[in-house]
Amino acid sequence: MLDTVTDLAAMLDDLTASLANATATRDERCATLDLHTSFLRPAKVGTIQASARVLRRGREIVQVAGELSQDGKPVATATATCMLVRADRR
């Protein structure tokens, strides 16, 4: 059940990190460095649509924008800065 803004922020973090991960090579993993969220209106229990796009992709840094919508209206947005690190780096 969706009951806090933390749930929306977690969804946006998963969404943006998943897209950043999709740009990674086989031996890279994604770590969120920064997540800026804006909550635009209350979300209701029900279906939420998600979309994301890459704003910029560098050698190690990926900037991604994400949006959660409900009933055709944006509920929350976020921009994330993610770092791609080699999986074998410790």
Side-chain angles (χ1 to χ4, degrees):
M1 174 179 255
L2 185 69
D3 59 356
T4 66
V5 296
T6 305
D7 296 328
L8 293 174
M11 286 181 198
L12 286 163
D13 188 30
D14 286 345
L15 174 68
T16 54
S18 293
L19 182 56
N21 238 354
T23 73
T25 63
R26 235 183 209 179
D27 62 338
E28 293 176 320
R29 299 294 178 261
C30 170
T32 302
L33 298 176
D34 190 47
L35 182 71
H36 288 269
T37 55
S38 295
F39 302 101
L40 308 173
R41 62 178 39 86
K44 303 174 288 193
V45 174
T47 303
I48 293 178
Q49 294 79 32
S51 63
R53 63 188 173 96
V54 174
L55 300 174
R56 181 181 175 281
R57 166 66 155 93
R59 190 174 14 166
E60 293 181 342
I61 302 295
V62 183
Q63 293 175 318
V64 182
E67 180 179 282
L68 301 177
S69 300
Q70 193 170 48
D71 301 326
K73 297 177 183 174
V75 172
T77 61
T79 55
T81 303
C82 301
M83 182 175 196
L84 300 175
V85 293
R86 290 184 55 89
D88 60 354
R89 186 192 299 180
R90 293 176 194 239

